[in-house]
Amino acid sequence: MFCCGTRKERSSRMDTDGDHSKHHFHQNTTITDDLVTTYISEHPELLEKYVMENIETQQLERWIIRKMKKKSDPQNAIRKTSLSRWKFCVHADKRQMLQEITKNLQNQPAKDHVLWELANCICSAVGAEGFRLYVAEKGDPDELYLHPGVDPSEASTSPQLQRTNTGVSIPAYVARNREPVRLSRGKPDSRFPDTVMDELSSSMVHIQCHPIMQSDGKLIAVLELWRGDDAGGPFYEEDEEIACSYLMWGGIALHYAHLYFNMNKQRQLNDFLLAVVKSIFQDMISIDSLVIKIMNFAQRLVDADRASLFQVDPRTKELYSTIFDVGVEAAGTPDVLGSMISDDQDNIGMYTSKEIRFALGTGIAGHVALTGEILNIRDAYSDSRFNRAVDQFTGYTTKTILCMPIYIRGYIIGVVQMVNKHNGYFTKDDEEAFETFAIYCGLALHHAKLYDKIRKSEQKYKVALDVLSYHNTCTEGEYQAAVRTGIPKNLPGVDSYYFNPFELKDLEKARHAMYMFSDLFGLHTFDEECLLKFILTVRKNYRRVPYHNWTHGFSVANSMYCIIKHSKGAFNTNECLALYVGALCHDLDHRGKNNKFMLETESPLAAIYSTSTMEHHHFNQTVVILQQEGHNIFSKLQNDDYKQVLSLLKHCILATDLAVFFPNKAKLTEIVQIGSFSWNDAEHRMLIQAIAMTGSDLSASAKPWKIQAKTVKVIFEEFYDQGDAEKAAGRLPIPMMDRNQPDQQPSTQVGFLTGICIPCYNLLYTLIPETKALLDMCHKNLDRWRKIDEEVKTKENK
């Protein structure tokens, strides 16, 4: 108990305060304790006035407690809690008590903390020597747990409750009957056998026990107060009233603590569900990482010691898990998992990562997976469905289990199993919270599996790309041969619109392509090694089809070289770079089939690119080659130039689709006819680039007749191959692609030159007069085809 000071100190204080009554005593009067006592007894109003004006409230509290406890142990007299300021007798201001409890809810909002503080208050108020607090965890009077006390510095943690024997004990009686009880040792009570009191410790002579109820009548706890023989005697009715009074006011705080607890728990759940959704749609983490994150939270959500997730393997009809036994990490263990949620650094878990597999229907998890039933088991080893093999495998002892199925689209895809709740058993609240969590858990797993498939497919794609890049990249021998021969210094005739590509071998075409590039752009801003590798690899990535092969790619690049070479100043450097490289690469990996065939046969390419299918593929193949080590011919360009060239390169390659040519021709024709074309207009420049690409692509129609006739022959060979493929698929090819109708060739060529080639070269000649040679030769070839067509028709009419 607190002491009010020694006799010498009290005498000194009396000497100091003597001036208050100097009109009653002479200065030479000797003041003794008896004299002061007599005077105060005769003038009680003076004592009251002095106390009210000069004595602090805390000092009064200490006096009252000393008065009530007398000879009790001073160390037990004051219970050092955050609410000690209002722990005194029935005359205390209970409104102040309620305000203090409400204020402390902010720091220690948990129900267990409020209960402990309230019990301390009542203990002090009734002058008890000590108390025991029993918590009814589920409101069940037959399940009481001894509260071990709380540490004010650990307001966020819950105490570890201990299960008690609730046979005929006094707390059990009070819990069942919901009424207070007062007992003293040696005074028989018909409600309890003598053995009940005998089992108590020798210091517990007088007992007072109270039920603590919520406003809805639900039992929360039982408070057992006790005194010894020398601590004030038995408890009386007024002590019971004091306790009941405090419990009435404290019940309000308990109610709000309960609300706060539920709200906080729901907030934590909501925060995690949000984190799960973010993981699904933003982070796209692997399934193993997601399982660890889910289990860490689930284990804390219901205060379980371990958490496991088993997934259903529909193929083998088994449950399996590669990550299980997720639990709280021991203090001081390194953080091997990271936080449960990004900003929660305290929630760290450990897990076991050996795969477990067992058949559906085996064990608790197997039963839940098979039936979809939620199981809340209080004694695992007494349940016949429990599979002890898992415990034997892991070396862990399972006691209590909460097991719940995870659904997606009405099918069970897994089972979440919580093991060994830290305090008692899993409750109905745990089941409800976990049921909500399981919905999001299923969603997370479903999307994580999809992501896992995508990730694996991506890795397969990378492997395939690596293999293809190895086989479709120029060999070291080819590269070294090109290095030895070097880039030609001069190639007479290569700048002629009528250059014959059939006269060159494949590697010679590559050397000519290198020369044309260096002639147009020089090598001061380009890496010669990259240029050699790039062109050699482009050559290798043209397939061996009759027409859309490396010869065609080279021929188109040669025609574009001639246009750029003879129309100096028409296009700027970046445009020229995109036009030439685009022409060289415009049919990379062409399969000898047109876009229509790709769409009708549901080719994977058509699934990726719904318009300009092959042209998009040609551009992407160009980018793939540029990305290979030592192949990026644009690597020395400035960042802005690099981006512009790539953008123009895509535009140029896509322009070779004849479906794109017709709207481009219509727009540019209208602009030219109204005389509004301007080389300073970016859109107009893009249109003339597109027409130049088409003119180069069709340049075989503007070559001398020998080259033209040979080109038409391989074109129709490719057409007939597509027609054969269409027949094999049960479709009827158009006459032009039917090898049984070779007489269609002349009329087809007349229509092609009249409807596409002549309009293209007319437009090109109007804006770039240096291309007149293309238009002239195209007219000559058209005349030749018309004569042949007339001869064919004459024969048919005879």
Side-chain angles (χ1 to χ4, degrees):
M1 295 300 295
F2 283 89
C3 182
C4 293
T6 63
R7 175 170 298 191
K8 181 178 180 181
E9 290 170 341
R10 291 197 301 271
S11 297
S12 177
R13 287 196 295 269
M14 276 297 186
D15 291 340
T16 302
D17 297 334
D19 290 343
H20 289 289
S21 54
K22 61 183 179 179
H23 56 287
H24 294 285
F25 297 95
H26 296 291
Q27 290 185 350
N28 57 356
T29 303
T30 300
I31 301 175
T32 63
D33 288 352
D34 292 338
L35 187 60
V36 173
T37 301
T38 302
Y39 185 82
I40 290 175
S41 299
E42 295 174 354
H43 303 84
E45 69 281 356
L46 180 61
L47 176 62
E48 180 178 353
K49 181 180 179 181
Y50 177 81
V51 168
M52 296 299 291
E53 293 178 356
N54 297 281
I55 304 302
E56 296 291 336
T57 303
Q58 290 183 355
Q59 181 61 49
L60 284 174
E61 292 177 20
R62 289 194 290 268
W63 285 348
I64 292 171
I65 294 171
R66 287 189 67 229
K67 171 72 173 177
M68 298 179 68
K69 298 200 170 196
K70 294 183 180 178
K71 299 179 181 179
S72 62
D73 183 358
Q75 292 185 354
N76 291 328
I78 300 298
R79 306 188 184 280
K80 297 181 180 180
T81 69
S82 60
L83 304 181
S84 62
R85 286 180 294 164
W86 48 269
K87 296 173 187 173
F88 54 99
C89 70
V90 66
H91 301 293
D93 188 342
K94 295 181 180 59
R95 286 182 301 176
Q96 181 184 355
M97 178 204 72
L98 182 59
Q99 290 172 356
E100 293 292 337
I101 288 185
T102 304
K103 181 179 178 181
N104 278 275
L105 279 175
Q106 298 177 4
N107 301 321
Q108 295 179 332
K111 180 182 69 175
D112 293 321
H113 287 80
V114 176
L115 276 173
W116 187 254
E117 294 291 349
L118 182 61
N120 270 283
C121 296
I122 296 174
C123 180
S124 295
V126 300
E129 275 192 80
F131 68 89
R132 287 179 180 170
L133 182 64
Y134 301 89
V135 178
E137 189 70 3
K138 299 180 182 180
D140 188 344
D142 293 323
E143 290 188 18
L144 297 180
Y145 297 84
L146 182 62
H147 196 301
V150 297
D151 184 347
S153 65
E154 299 179 357
S156 60
T157 61
S158 297
Q160 301 295 312
L161 304 178
Q162 303 170 6
R163 182 75 183 274
T164 63
N165 182 5
T166 54
V168 292
S169 68
I170 299 171
Y173 175 86
V174 172
R176 295 188 188 101
N177 293 276
R178 314 294 175 90
E179 63 180 29
V181 166
R182 286 181 285 113
L183 294 172
S184 292
R185 192 187 300 274
K187 293 185 178 180
D189 192 306
S190 59
R191 296 170 295 183
F192 307 101
D194 294 339
T195 55
V196 171
M197 294 299 291
D198 293 339
E199 291 175 357
L200 300 176
S201 65
S202 59
S203 61
M204 299 176 65
V205 179
H206 309 289
I207 304 295
Q208 179 172 303
C209 210
H210 286 267
I212 303 176
M213 318 282 289
Q214 281 186 172
S215 57
D216 59 1
K218 181 181 178 181
L219 179 70
I220 301 177
V222 174
L223 175 61
E224 184 180 54
L225 305 162
W226 55 269
R227 289 178 185 161
D229 270 335
D230 56 351
F235 290 99
Y236 296 99
E237 186 175 350
E238 51 268 32
D239 295 315
E240 189 176 309
E241 291 176 358
I242 291 172
C244 289
S245 178
Y246 272 85
L247 289 173
M248 179 185 69
W249 289 98
I252 300 174
L254 286 170
H255 174 70
Y256 281 100
H258 181 70
L259 290 179
Y260 178 88
F261 175 77
N262 288 339
M263 290 170 59
N264 192 50
K265 193 172 184 179
Q266 187 62 45
R267 181 185 60 79
Q268 291 177 352
L269 178 60
N270 292 342
D271 288 345
F272 176 75
L273 296 181
L274 180 60
V276 169
V277 172
K278 286 181 178 179
S279 296
I280 297 170
F281 296 107
Q282 292 182 8
D283 300 336
M284 293 301 291
I285 59 178
S286 69
I287 191 166
D288 285 350
S289 299
L290 182 64
V291 168
I292 293 172
K293 177 181 277 191
I294 289 172
M295 291 299 95
N296 267 283
F297 177 79
Q299 174 255 333
R300 288 163 177 80
L301 178 67
V302 296
D303 193 28
D305 186 54
R306 291 287 185 269
S308 302
L309 184 142
F310 299 94
Q311 298 180 67
V312 174
D313 186 338
R315 183 178 58 85
T316 61
K317 304 296 182 184
E318 291 179 317
L319 279 179
Y320 70 94
S321 177
T322 55
I323 296 175
F324 56 93
D325 278 357
V326 175
V328 176
E329 184 181 3
T333 305
D335 180 0
V336 296
L337 294 179
S339 58
M340 176 190 71
I341 301 176
S342 59
D343 59 350
D344 188 354
Q345 296 299 325
D346 295 326
N347 293 326
I348 300 170
M350 296 292 290
Y351 66 96
T352 304
S353 57
K354 297 178 182 178
E355 184 175 80
I356 284 182
R357 278 185 175 267
F358 51 89
L360 291 179
T362 303
I364 302 299
H367 176 82
V368 172
L370 191 64
T371 64
E373 179 185 358
I374 299 173
L375 293 181
N376 188 345
I377 300 172
R378 297 189 173 189
D379 185 357
Y381 279 79
S382 66
D383 194 303
S384 59
R385 297 165 297 190
F386 177 63
N387 179 19
R388 303 188 182 191
V390 177
D391 273 13
Q392 294 170 358
F393 181 82
T394 61
Y396 184 74
T397 302
T398 302
K399 298 175 183 178
T400 58
I401 297 175
L402 175 60
C403 196
M404 187 166 293
I406 302 172
Y407 287 91
I408 279 290
R409 297 176 182 174
Y411 295 96
I412 297 175
I413 65 167
V415 171
V416 180
Q417 182 170 279
M418 299 292 102
V419 176
N420 292 355
K421 187 176 177 70
H422 288 130
N423 299 319
Y425 306 124
F426 294 107
T427 66
K428 187 67 177 176
D429 289 341
D430 293 333
E431 292 180 27
E432 293 173 355
F434 205 70
E435 194 168 8
T436 302
F437 168 69
I439 296 172
Y440 287 87
C441 180
L443 182 65
L445 284 175
H446 179 65
H447 280 79
K449 285 183 176 180
L450 292 179
Y451 168 71
D452 208 41
K453 289 181 180 179
I454 293 171
R455 185 175 57 82
K456 288 179 180 177
S457 297
E458 182 181 4
Q459 298 306 315
K460 289 179 181 178
Y461 166 76
K462 288 181 178 179
V463 171
L465 185 61
D466 182 58
V467 172
L468 289 174
S469 66
Y470 175 79
H471 291 290
N472 284 352
T473 302
C474 65
T475 65
E476 184 64 22
E478 291 170 337
Y479 168 68
Q480 291 299 334
V483 170
R484 286 193 298 271
T485 57
I487 298 175
K489 301 299 182 182
N490 185 31
L491 292 174
V494 75
D495 60 346
S496 169
Y497 286 113
Y498 304 148
F499 184 82
N500 186 358
F502 295 111
E503 293 180 346
L504 300 175
K505 295 181 179 180
D506 280 357
L507 287 176
E508 281 300 307
K509 294 185 185 79
R511 294 185 71 241
H512 277 62
M514 296 171 193
Y515 167 79
M516 289 186 288
F517 185 94
S518 63
D519 185 44
L520 288 175
F521 311 110
L523 295 175
H524 57 283
T525 56
F526 299 95
D527 187 294
E528 184 175 345
E529 293 183 2
C530 283
L531 177 63
L532 298 182
K533 288 183 179 179
F534 178 78
I535 291 178
L536 289 172
T537 298
V538 166
R539 177 191 72 86
K540 198 168 186 178
N541 277 269
Y542 272 94
R543 295 197 179 197
R544 297 181 181 275
V545 293
Y547 173 62
H548 289 97
N549 50 34
W550 167 234
T551 298
H552 170 67
F554 167 78
S555 180
V556 174
N558 173 246
S559 296
M560 181 58 73
Y561 164 75
C562 294
I563 293 173
I564 297 172
K565 185 77 172 176
H566 295 300
S567 57
K568 293 179 179 179
F571 303 105
N572 63 41
T573 302
N574 285 349
E575 290 171 338
C576 291
L577 195 56
L579 285 166
Y580 180 75
V581 175
L584 190 68
C585 302
H586 82 285
D587 272 334
L588 277 172
D589 197 47
H590 200 292
R591 286 88 190 281
K593 307 294 188 295
N594 61 19
N595 287 335
K596 183 174 179 290
F597 180 87
M598 293 292 175
L599 289 169
E600 290 178 347
T601 57
E602 298 181 347
S603 163
L605 283 175
I608 300 172
Y609 315 111
S610 58
T611 60
S612 299
T613 301
M614 291 307 301
E615 289 71 27
H616 274 103
H617 179 57
H618 303 325
F619 170 71
N620 282 345
Q621 287 299 107
T622 304
V623 174
V624 168
I625 294 174
L626 287 169
Q627 289 177 337
Q628 292 183 35
E629 185 178 357
H631 286 68
N632 191 352
I633 56 175
F634 303 142
S635 62
K636 292 187 177 181
L637 295 178
Q638 295 295 324
N639 190 47
D640 291 342
D641 290 334
Y642 189 97
K643 291 179 180 178
Q644 185 183 36
V645 169
L646 279 184
S647 177
L648 290 171
L649 181 61
K650 183 175 184 180
H651 164 70
C652 290
I653 293 177
L654 295 185
T656 59
D657 183 1
L658 286 179
V660 175
F661 163 72
F662 291 109
N664 284 340
K665 177 184 73 85
K667 287 180 184 178
L668 190 56
T669 300
E670 182 181 359
I671 292 170
V672 170
Q673 287 176 348
I674 64 177
S676 63
F677 180 86
S678 172
W679 285 96
N680 295 321
D681 189 306
E683 183 182 357
H684 295 179
R685 295 182 70 86
M686 295 285 280
L687 287 171
I688 189 59
Q689 291 164 29
I691 297 302
M693 284 297 298
T694 303
S696 298
D697 194 16
L698 306 178
S699 61
S701 64
K703 297 281 187 180
W705 178 253
K706 183 181 178 181
I707 302 173
Q708 157 74 166
K710 188 173 182 178
T711 303
V712 169
K713 181 180 179 181
V714 294
I715 287 175
F716 274 92
E717 185 181 342
E718 191 169 284
F719 282 171
Y720 294 154
D721 286 346
Q722 178 172 321
D724 294 343
E726 289 177 339
K727 289 178 182 179
R731 289 192 296 273
L732 184 65
I734 59 176
M736 179 178 72
M737 296 186 176
D738 190 344
R739 70 172 64 250
N740 296 324
Q741 300 185 54
D743 55 338
Q744 295 292 323
Q745 287 187 17
S747 62
T748 297
Q749 282 303 106
V750 169
F752 177 67
L753 294 175
T754 304
I756 298 175
C757 297
I758 296 296
C760 176
Y761 293 130
N762 264 324
L763 197 52
L764 192 61
Y765 166 67
T766 302
L767 297 173
I768 305 178
E770 294 85 354
T771 61
K772 187 176 185 297
L774 294 171
L775 179 61
D776 291 344
M777 189 56 71
C778 192
H779 275 296
K780 289 180 181 180
N781 289 332
L782 176 60
D783 292 341
R784 193 81 173 257
W785 282 115
R786 278 174 175 166
K787 289 179 182 179
I788 297 173
D789 185 40
E790 288 174 1
E791 292 174 0
V792 171
K793 289 178 180 178
T794 301
K795 288 181 181 180
E796 289 177 351
N797 292 333
K798 286 183 179 182

